[in-house]
Amino acid sequence: MSEEINGNMVLARALKEQGIEYVFGIVGHPVIELSMAIQSVGLKYIGMRNEQSATYAAQAIGYLTKKPGVCLVVSGPGLLHCTGGMANAQINCWPLLVIGGATNEDHEGIGGFQECNQVELSRPYCKYAARPPNASLIPTHVEKAVRLACYGRPGASYLDFPGNILQSVISVDKIVSCYSHPEPPIPFPNPKEIISSADALCSAKKPLVIIGKGAGYARAETYLRQLIHQTNLPFLATPMGKGVVPDTARQSVASARTLALQKADLILLVGARLNWILHFGRSPRFDSNVKVIQVDIVPEEMHNSIKSLAAIQSDILPFADALVDEMSKRKFRFDENNEWWKELNDKCEKNQKIVKEMSLDNSVPLNYYSVFHNVYDMIPNDCIIISEGANTMDIGRSILLNNLPRHRLDAGTFGTMGVGLGFGIAAALYCRDYCPGKRVICVEGDSAFGFSGMEIETMIRYNLPVVIIIVNNSGIGMGFSKEDYKSIQEMGDPSLTIPATALNAETHYEHMMNMFDKKGFYARTIPELKKAVKEALIPTDHPSIINVFINPQADRKPQTFSWLTESKL
């Protein structure tokens, strides 16, 4: 007689078969037994405090490992809370599988508990959304959901499971057998396009290479580093493309980003998109006559926003390998005495001098630059840096450097606030399992921290030694001093007088550690900050919070352009 198992075990075994390692979530009816089945087959389950944070953690582990993380949630509100995270994974192009419990099918249409049209609600945020019709077909849908989350441009998948399907019992021999999905196919570039790209780079007067997080996901760092080193071409990295080629490489022109974008006559765009992060590739942030060689894994991205000189569909790794080989044959090296290099170097030196002056200003209250400068001097050079917040993220990007790929996670293409602690949990698990001893540093604005602050309890529960640095300016963008905030409060009804961007002045978030009988830190001066960072970096089995009070009116250095290019239509 064949073994009989229920739908929960069928699903757990199917996830294991597809190479899933981590499941994040919040359980309740009807998925409590599913979480038990998941652990029984050897998958790691991490119970979170908020469904959005669970999706953020699952997609971050997907980016770091190239295997989808799973987010497990209950029906109705549980699934709806995931839509922000699903959209973030889809737009960020990170693999994610969301599994939602659902009301029993015989309760649908008559007001079942948490009844919700979950498959259709998820579809806009996913590459694949489905409900297996019975337990026997669960492995088929799991394979397809995982495969589609990984293939081509990665993204999110959703699978819906009514309680009656999870609880149903089936003979093992009735289960439709399925294979473990093969590795994604790798598209290679047309050799003619490699030759034409090399021709264009060799003849350009003001070339620029832009490296995006897609290059990091493709593990193309070895060839892209070789390309930049051999050709001496100037390069910029997008926020999460940092570290694919080291930020400290002499060819990095991050300090002259505005000038480089505005005046380049040829751009090699690898693993990045011409969206808002790169100002759509349009004037005035770019030369109106700039030529772009666009390399992407999906053809639908080609010629988006502007018409490219060349649109090359390819995985970044084989493209970079082939281009290095072609440029090596030509023995091409961009002359460091070229006028373009002189212009870029002069601008870099000028901007770096301004930033250095601000970084060395240790007057109290502190500014962003001095905080980041001193933090960077103390943290390990191989740590994973997670950053979110407005000025916190933008200014930190220029000072908290990355020399290793996939070592910076931030608000990403969707500009999502609240990702920080979920990303931190995923990164800490990744470090524990894949690179023991590596540290995770979360640099948070106080507003950003507020979205997911209770995930500190999750870090405590799973012994994750994440160092959380809260850069506290008592506001969203800008805040108010304690004295000014008190004066505003006394003016009358707070809902009419307190500005929408204000937060409570000088909140002592570090006291959250007291809930777990642990010590938090706060700092107002650089010596206090250094002492706190030094102590927080001592090896331990729990997270730390360092709350750094800065000038509520602190801002970034003056900008030539608005940070976001607006349409003039």
Side-chain angles (χ1 to χ4, degrees), residues 55 59 79 82-90 96 98 122 125-126 156 158:
T55 60
Q59 65 194 258
L79 184 277
C82 289
T83 54
M86 293 161 73
N88 190 69
Q90 187 75 349
L96 166 70
V98 175
S122 300
Y125 313 106
C126 295
Y158 173 68

Side-chain angles (χ1 to χ4, degrees), residues 52 54-63 68-69 71 82-98 124-127 148-150 153-158 213 217 240 273 410-416 419 423:
Q52 279 194 344
T55 60
Y56 299 147
Q59 65 194 258
I61 206 75
Y63 172 68
C71 177
C82 289
T83 54
M86 293 161 73
N88 190 69
Q90 187 75 349
I91 293 171
N92 228 23
C93 309
W94 289 359
L96 166 70
L97 172 57
V98 175
Y125 313 106
C126 295
K127 295 178 71 177
L148 266 62
C150 297
R153 177 172 284 166
S157 291
Y158 173 68
K213 69 175 178 287
Y217 187 82
M240 277 189 278
R273 291 169 282 176
D410 68 20
T413 310
F414 210 29
T416 308
V419 297
F423 283 4

Side-chain angles (χ1 to χ4, degrees), residues 297-308:
I297 200 167
V298 296
E300 289 82 1
E301 188 61 37
M302 305 306 181
H303 309 296
N304 188 40
S305 183
I306 66 169
K307 184 179 180 181
S308 299

Side-chain angles (χ1 to χ4, degrees), residues 186-190 193 295-298 302 312-320:
I186 298 177
F188 278 67
N190 185 325
E193 293 173 330
V295 188
D296 204 284
I297 200 167
V298 296
M302 305 306 181
I312 304 172
Q313 183 187 6
S314 174
D315 185 279
I316 303 301
L317 193 150
F319 170 83

Side-chain angles (χ1 to χ4, degrees), residues 211-212 215-216 220-222 224-225 240-246 404-406:
I211 300 170
E221 56 267 17
T222 298
L224 286 173
R225 290 177 179 209
M240 277 189 278
K242 285 164 61 68
V244 173
V245 179
L404 295 171
R406 301 170 295 282

Side-chain angles (χ1 to χ4, degrees), residues 63-64 213 216-217 221 225 239-244 247 379-387 400-410 427 430-431 435 438-441:
Y63 172 68
L64 292 170
K213 69 175 178 287
Y217 187 82
E221 56 267 17
R225 290 177 179 209
M240 277 189 278
K242 285 164 61 68
V244 173
D247 284 344
I379 60 177
N381 59 16
D382 68 342
C383 65
I384 295 179
I385 299 173
I386 294 154
S387 184
L400 301 173
L401 305 182
N402 293 94
N403 291 320
L404 295 171
R406 301 170 295 282
H407 277 59
R408 188 179 197 278
L409 308 176
D410 68 20
Y430 173 78
C431 290
C435 40
K438 189 183 290 288
R439 300 305 301 267
V440 176
I441 313 292

Side-chain angles (χ1 to χ4, degrees), residues 447-469:
S447 171
F449 177 75
F451 282 82
S452 57
M454 275 311 299
E455 296 300 342
I456 191 75
E457 189 272 335
T458 307
M459 294 178 180
I460 288 283
R461 202 171 352 122
Y462 292 97
N463 304 321
L464 302 176
V466 179
V467 178
I468 302 167
I469 301 174

